[in-house]
């Protein structure tokens, strides 16, 4: 478990106000009803525990408003009483951002009951949703009207729009469609004092002062609670091709990416990297998974091309690029899916990396990014640094290489003690981040800062950038009530 945990805990408890009184509980229950408030510890577990078990918080109550008005009133009451609040959606955060501290004085405000898809408008190509709508349900509602909502990530069956926007999630399609913030036109937010900020516009152009919605997107719940959003839709894809490709090296993966971008950059939807060890974990731990190629290789890419045109000839294109790359020694072997089922099976090998690594035992995650061209140096140098630190450490690097975003994850050496390994989290992260910084990268690409990396943010962004972030936090949340101790810590 990272040491950063204890730091933010101390920071939060030092200024704690014990305002969750029986009288407040009664007023909250009157607003939210019995369904809207959980105080029985036996029912709270899922809201308090980080999904990998790295942190388990405590809380006097889980508040589950069903509407914006209920949410606003609950926030107002908590703010009045000085009670700290932790916004939560699907609770799949990778950085401990969505669970309360161990102090026991922070309420969780879950948006999961606010899960309506309010309006789908294929003419405007927009969808208006409540923050608790599950990402997979949003994708389906778009498909039902022949549209696409392109945000796609491994946790899409559980993660909710409020959390996706709270973290400015990336995922598998950033290469083509951008991050979550690029898919949003309008937002409704409950501010830390309970006021409702209605910016639920669906305009493609709207230059009317500071673009406030982008402050709340990616703020990880530290500035307010997103309650609704107007999302952008795109045309539904009618031709999709997926290839699973063994490449000669990480450099070869980048050369192949470049070839696909030049060939048909507009159709390139995903370009993911995997290594032999990660796939071996998937074959070992995920029932029904199997190697798609006859022989094992050290490096792999999963490539998707898609187009709304049914006659886009993507199959011929993908074959031509791969054949030429094979002739030039970049590609060792490849398979192109023949059906939707095969496409899903190939994607599953990529998507199950997190779960497989979790089942293998203790692991340390580093969600980092560098300029795309520097990914080979990142993987080589960070691997060497980690192996020098902990001999036998098992590198499981994978991810969105097309965006320069590698999940430089590390598994405990075989036979070693998991808890002892996790105690070295900060040392390992420092070794990886040292390499990342030397390559001009970022210590958090898409998972956010949360609790895990709050100290790192303070160190990396020190100076006017951090001062401005703190000034924004103080202006919008002067009482430091909204997700305290996460992202921007106040001195
Ligand atoms: P939560 O975990 O509940 O919350 C995340 C953050 O948003 C917290 O800071 C929380 O306080 C805040 N928040 C929640 N709701 C609101 C709201 N209504 N208003 C304001 N703030 C709010 N992430 C990626 O970016 N790309 C990936 O490819 C990816 N793959 C994943 C694969 C797996 C298997 C898992 C478990 C996670 C993955 N993630 C990935 C991380 C995670 O799923 C995303 O960050 C996701 O967007 C979080 O959504 P959530 O609903 O679970 O949010
Ligand atoms: C993914 O892309 O699968 C996740 O974001 C990575 C992780 O588990 O670290
Ligand atoms: Zn990812």
């Amino acid at each position: 478990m990272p040491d950063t945990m204890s730091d933010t805990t101390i920071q939060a408890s030092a200024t704690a106000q014990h305002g969750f009184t029986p009288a407040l509980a009664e007023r909250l229950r009157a607003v939210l009803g019995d369904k809207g408030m959980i105080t029985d510890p036996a029912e709270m577990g899922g809201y308090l525990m980080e999904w990998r078990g790295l942190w388990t918080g405590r809380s006097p109550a889980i508040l589950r408003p069903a509407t914006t008005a209920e949410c606003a009133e609950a926030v107002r009451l908590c703010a009045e009483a000085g009670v700290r609040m932790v916004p939560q959606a699907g609770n799949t955060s990778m950085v401990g951002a969505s669970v309360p501290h161990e102090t026991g004085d922070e309420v969780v405000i879950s948006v999961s009951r606010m899960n309506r898809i309010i309006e789908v408008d294929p003419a405007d190509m927009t969808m208006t949703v409540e923050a608790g709508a599950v990402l997979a349900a949003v994708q389906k509602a778009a498909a039902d009207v022949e549209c696409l909502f392109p945000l796609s990530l491994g946790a899409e069956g559980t993660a909710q729009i409020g959390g996706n926007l709270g973290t400015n999630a990336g995922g598998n399609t950033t290469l083509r469609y951008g991050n979550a913030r690029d898919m949003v036109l309008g937002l409704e937010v409950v501010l830390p004092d309970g006021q409702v900020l209605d910016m639920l516009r669906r305009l493609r152009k709207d230059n009317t002062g500071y673009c406030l919605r982008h402050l709340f997107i990616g703020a990880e719940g530290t500035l307010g609670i997103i309650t609704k959003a107007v999302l952008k839709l795109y045309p539904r894809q009618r031709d999709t091709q997926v290839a699973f490709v063994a490449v000669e090296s990480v450099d070869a993966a980048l050369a192949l990416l470049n070839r696909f971008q030049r060939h048909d950059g507009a159709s390139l939807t995903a370009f993911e990297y995997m290594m032999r060890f990660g796939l071996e974990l998937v074959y070992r731990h995920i029932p029904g998974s199997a190697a798609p190629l006859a022989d094992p290789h050290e490096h792999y890419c999963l490539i998707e091309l898609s187009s709304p045109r049914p006659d886009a000839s993507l199959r011929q294109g993908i074959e031509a690029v791969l054949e030429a790359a094979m002739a030039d020694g970049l590609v060792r072997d490849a398979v192109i899916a023949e059906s939707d089922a095969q496409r899903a099976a190939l994607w599953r090998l990529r998507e199950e990396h997190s779960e497989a690594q979790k089942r293998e035992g203790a692991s340390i995650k580093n969600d980092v990014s560098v300029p795309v061209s520097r990914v080979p140096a990142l993987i080589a140098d960070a691997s060497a640094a980690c192996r020098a630190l902990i001999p036998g450490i098992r590198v499981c690097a994978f991810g969105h290489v097309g965006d320069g975003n590698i999940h430089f994850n590390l598994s405990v050496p075989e036979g070693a003690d998991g808890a002892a390994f996790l105690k070295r989290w900060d040392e390992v992260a420092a070794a990886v981040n040292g390499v990342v910084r030397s390559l001009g990268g970022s210590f958090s690409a898409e998972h956010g800062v949360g609790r895990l990396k709050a100290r790192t943010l303070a160190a990396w962004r020190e100076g006017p950038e951090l001062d401005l972030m703190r000034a924004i936090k103080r202006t919008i949340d002067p009482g430091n009530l909204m997700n305290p101790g996460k992202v921007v810590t106040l001195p």
Side-chain angles (χ1 to χ4, degrees):
M1 196 176 304
D3 282 351
T4 36
M5 188 189 94
S6 47
D7 278 10
T8 53
T9 304
I10 291 160
Q11 197 252 350
S13 56
T15 49
Q17 300 167 47
H18 299 280
F20 196 85
T21 56
L24 174 64
E26 208 173 297
R27 291 175 78 188
L28 285 168
R29 200 174 285 281
V31 172
L32 300 171
D34 283 340
K35 269 193 185 166
M37 186 161 158
I38 302 174
T39 46
D40 178 356
E43 291 175 42
M44 286 191 197
Y47 299 89
L48 301 180
M49 194 164 86
E50 187 266 355
W51 71 278
R52 298 200 314 151
L54 291 178
W55 296 275
T56 303
R58 293 191 308 120
S59 178
I62 313 296
L63 309 184
R64 301 174 69 237
T67 63
T68 299
E70 284 185 14
C71 183
E73 183 57 9
V75 168
R76 195 186 66 75
L77 290 172
C78 289
E80 228 173 56
V83 169
R84 299 161 187 274
M85 298 161 262
V86 180
Q88 189 180 93
N91 198 17
T92 64
S93 168
M94 293 280 194
V95 289
S98 50
V99 287
H101 289 94
E102 295 73 11
T103 45
D105 54 2
E106 299 169 357
V107 296
V108 172
I109 303 192
S110 164
V111 294
S112 57
R113 283 178 75 212
M114 303 173 60
N115 59 2
R116 282 182 314 139
I117 290 172
I118 299 167
E119 186 189 7
V120 186
D121 187 336
D124 274 344
M125 300 283 275
T126 60
M127 187 189 303
T128 307
V129 300
E130 289 185 326
V134 171
L135 175 55
V138 171
Q139 294 166 339
K140 183 176 178 310
D144 287 346
V145 293
E146 300 298 311
C147 287
L148 171 78
F149 183 64
L151 187 65
S152 164
L153 42 93
E156 64 198 23
T158 310
Q160 301 164 10
I161 289 297
N164 298 148
L165 302 186
T167 45
N168 183 28
N172 303 323
T173 57
T174 303
L175 182 61
R176 180 154 172 190
Y177 298 98
N179 294 304
R181 74 166 72 252
D182 300 302
M183 303 171 192
V184 180
L185 293 176
L187 219 59
E188 180 187 81
V189 180
V190 172
L191 295 172
D193 62 0
Q195 286 186 81
V196 178
L197 187 57
D198 181 353
M199 304 176 291
L200 217 51
R201 300 185 278 269
R202 60 172 74 181
L203 302 173
R204 303 271 165 176
K205 287 192 166 184
D206 181 20
N207 280 349
T208 48
Y210 303 137
C211 190
L212 296 181
R213 72 175 180 280
H214 285 303
L215 262 186
F216 297 94
I217 300 171
E220 300 179 47
T222 58
L223 299 178
I225 303 181
I226 297 168
T227 42
K228 292 192 187 96
V230 179
L231 307 174
K232 276 191 208 169
L233 300 181
Y234 298 77
R236 188 180 185 177
Q237 309 298 3
R238 296 181 185 284
D239 183 0
T240 300
Q241 299 294 331
V242 173
F244 184 89
V245 182
V247 287
E248 183 59 34
S249 59
V250 186
D251 284 292
L254 282 196
L256 188 61
L257 166 67
N258 198 265
R259 286 184 182 210
F260 272 104
Q261 279 167 331
R262 283 166 198 272
H263 168 77
D264 185 4
S267 301
L268 186 59
T269 310
F271 199 102
E272 298 284 312
Y273 172 76
M274 290 163 283
M275 59 191 293
R276 181 174 176 165
F277 175 60
L279 281 160
E280 282 171 358
L281 293 185
V282 174
Y283 305 145
R284 190 178 307 160
H285 294 294
I286 306 297
S289 61
L293 301 175
D295 299 314
H297 301 269
E298 295 306 316
H299 309 280
Y300 298 87
C301 294
L302 186 73
I303 302 163
E304 180 172 307
L305 268 67
S306 62
S307 169
R309 284 179 46 196
D311 58 348
S313 304
L314 297 182
R315 177 79 188 202
Q316 290 92 318
I318 208 167
E319 280 174 1
V321 174
L322 289 176
E323 273 166 25
M326 203 173 268
D328 294 342
L330 297 175
V331 167
R332 290 176 149 221
D333 199 0
V335 60
I336 302 174
E338 300 287 349
S339 63
D340 283 346
Q342 283 186 10
R343 278 187 274 281
L346 292 182
W347 263 113
R348 200 161 163 250
L349 296 176
R350 161 63 186 86
E351 295 284 40
E352 293 288 0
H353 268 60
S354 294
E355 186 58 33
Q357 205 187 7
K358 180 180 165 199
R359 291 184 193 174
E360 176 69 8
S363 66
I364 294 175
K365 283 184 187 292
N366 296 282
D367 162 46
V368 298
S369 62
V370 291
V372 180
S373 61
R374 297 188 176 174
V375 168
L378 166 71
I379 294 180
D381 296 355
S383 299
C386 290
R387 287 180 183 132
L389 195 63
I390 304 183
I393 196 167
R394 293 175 295 165
V395 174
C396 181
F398 63 95
H400 319 290
V401 64
D403 311 314
N405 173 195
I406 294 297
H407 299 304
F408 195 82
N409 295 351
L410 300 142
S411 283
V412 59
E414 225 150 352
D417 176 52
F421 177 69
L422 290 181
K423 283 207 176 102
R424 300 190 68 183
W425 189 303
D426 285 354
E427 263 179 274
V428 172
V432 174
N433 285 339
V435 174
V436 170
R437 206 161 192 179
S438 73
L439 295 171
S442 170
F443 64 90
S444 174
E446 60 172 11
H447 293 166
V449 175
R451 175 174 184 168
L452 179 65
K453 300 181 179 179
R455 220 171 40 176
T456 315
L457 179 94
W460 280 50
R461 300 286 180 251
E462 205 182 14
E465 196 173 349
L466 183 65
D467 292 346
L468 194 52
M469 286 194 213
R470 285 180 169 154
I472 290 168
K473 170 72 174 166
R474 285 196 190 98
T475 301
I476 298 179
D477 183 18
N480 194 18
L481 296 176
M482 212 39 102
N483 221 358
K486 316 278 175 56
V487 190
V488 181
T489 49
L490 299 178

